[in-house]
Amino acid sequence: LGVMMYYATFNTAGILTGRYNTDTHAAGGIPTNAIEIPQALYFQTIRENDGVWTLVKGSVVKRPIETAAPDLPALIATERYRREASGVGVGALLIETTRDSQALIASTGLSAILDSNYRCNFKTANGFVEIGSVEIIEIAQAVRSHVQACFDRELMLLKAVEGGTYRDEMLTEGWPQTRPEPAQTLPQ
């Protein structure tokens, strides 16, 4: 029996694509473009998978696995959208702020502006309440303010990214409050 020999193949970018030895891949099983490597390196490329084995100027080296940088503008926009749609408190009412709810509130607000006596049964996160034009306008203003504050926070975060001062924890900080504080009962 001869001495076992070890080989590796690499793609055009130099990245390891295959490992071969003369015992397992006898007669004709080793590609012609394979390069001979030492036994220790052969087994090292099998055991150590915390990098990318690459052929660089004739030497086989392990390089760190490249990780894609996060798309911070997309992450920030996703968080803004989530916060925008999280709802807002107006008095004791929990008001939905999804895009659909914003459209309904805007049209209801227009009705309240056009007719100061306008009243409607308005569905909140707590259920239906009958409200008049003053409350409708108050709700519309609170929703618009909440949504604008979310966009303003998104802009601040994008400027921090642009300026190189962004930190991951900033993504969860500084957004407008979405729910009202619990009602305080006064002593009687």
Side-chain angles (χ1 to χ4, degrees):
L1 294 179
V3 175
M4 189 174 338
M5 303 196 51
Y6 301 89
Y7 299 88
T9 55
F10 300 85
N11 66 18
T12 56
I15 298 172
L16 178 71
T17 57
R19 296 175 201 83
Y20 307 88
N21 65 58
T22 52
D23 187 36
T24 307
H25 306 94
I30 298 174
T32 57
N33 65 335
I35 63 166
E36 186 177 346
I37 60 173
Q39 176 184 13
L41 181 58
Y42 175 86
F43 287 107
Q44 189 178 7
T45 65
I46 293 171
R47 283 190 310 272
E48 295 181 20
N49 59 7
D50 59 341
V52 178
W53 289 98
T54 309
L55 183 63
V56 179
K57 296 180 182 175
S59 297
V60 178
V61 296
K62 182 173 59 171
R63 293 201 164 157
I65 296 171
E66 291 183 24
T67 55
D71 183 349
L72 292 176
L75 288 173
I76 292 167
T78 298
E79 183 67 12
R80 186 258 317 134
Y81 185 78
R82 188 179 78 76
R83 299 292 182 134
E84 173 190 340
S86 64
V88 66
V90 179
L93 304 176
L94 299 176
I95 308 299
E96 290 186 12
T97 56
T98 63
R99 295 281 170 95
D100 288 345
S101 294
Q102 290 177 49
L104 293 170
I105 291 166
S107 65
T108 304
L110 180 59
S111 294
I113 291 170
L114 295 173
D115 178 1
S116 62
N117 294 318
Y118 180 76
R119 297 192 67 72
C120 70
N121 291 311
F122 188 86
K123 188 171 183 182
T124 70
N126 320 61
F128 280 98
V129 293
E130 184 181 344
I131 56 176
S133 60
V134 171
E135 293 90 358
I136 293 168
I137 292 170
E138 182 181 357
I139 289 169
Q141 288 174 327
V143 169
R144 185 64 227 145
S145 176
H146 168 79
V147 170
Q148 188 58 54
C150 290
F151 277 98
D152 291 346
R153 179 62 182 156
E154 178 183 17
L155 179 60
M156 288 176 62
L157 293 174
L158 291 172
K159 285 182 178 181
V161 169
E162 195 175 280
T165 59
Y166 178 83
R167 297 176 331 278
D168 289 342
E169 58 271 12
M170 292 170 73
L171 187 60
T172 59
E173 301 170 345
W175 296 98
Q177 182 178 339
T178 59
R179 298 288 183 221
E181 296 296 324
Q184 301 274 332
T185 55
L186 300 174
Q188 297 190 6

mmCIF file of all heavy atoms in Angstrom, residues 14 72 114 134 183:
data_model
loop_
_atom_site.group_PDB
_atom_site.id
_atom_site.type_symbol
_atom_site.label_atom_id
_atom_site.label_comp_id
_atom_site.label_asym_id
_atom_site.label_seq_id
_atom_site.Cartn_x
_atom_site.Cartn_y
_atom_site.Cartn_z
ATOM 1 N N GLY A 14 -11.357 31.210 -5.504
ATOM 2 C CA GLY A 14 -10.390 30.689 -4.552
ATOM 3 C C GLY A 14 -11.004 30.000 -3.347
ATOM 4 O O GLY A 14 -10.298 29.655 -2.407
ATOM 5 N N LEU A 72 -29.765 49.212 7.691
ATOM 6 C CA LEU A 72 -30.311 50.047 8.773
ATOM 7 C C LEU A 72 -31.509 50.884 8.346
ATOM 8 O O LEU A 72 -32.498 50.942 9.082
ATOM 9 C CB LEU A 72 -29.208 50.919 9.383
ATOM 10 C CG LEU A 72 -28.138 50.143 10.146
ATOM 11 C CD1 LEU A 72 -27.041 51.081 10.639
ATOM 12 C CD2 LEU A 72 -28.751 49.380 11.308
ATOM 13 N N LEU A 114 -66.804 69.805 8.812
ATOM 14 C CA LEU A 114 -67.878 70.324 7.963
ATOM 15 C C LEU A 114 -69.193 70.500 8.715
ATOM 16 O O LEU A 114 -70.017 71.334 8.343
ATOM 17 C CB LEU A 114 -68.091 69.405 6.754
ATOM 18 C CG LEU A 114 -66.915 69.322 5.778
ATOM 19 C CD1 LEU A 114 -67.185 68.262 4.720
ATOM 20 C CD2 LEU A 114 -66.661 70.682 5.144
ATOM 21 N N VAL A 134 -66.195 67.505 18.474
ATOM 22 C CA VAL A 134 -65.039 67.945 19.274
ATOM 23 C C VAL A 134 -64.121 66.767 19.577
ATOM 24 O O VAL A 134 -62.893 66.842 19.399
ATOM 25 C CB VAL A 134 -65.511 68.633 20.584
ATOM 26 C CG1 VAL A 134 -64.340 68.893 21.514
ATOM 27 C CG2 VAL A 134 -66.250 69.926 20.268
ATOM 28 N N ALA A 183 -55.696 55.361 34.281
ATOM 29 C CA ALA A 183 -56.450 56.460 34.886
ATOM 30 C C ALA A 183 -56.213 56.492 36.390
ATOM 31 O O ALA A 183 -56.175 55.457 37.060
ATOM 32 C CB ALA A 183 -57.932 56.281 34.591
#
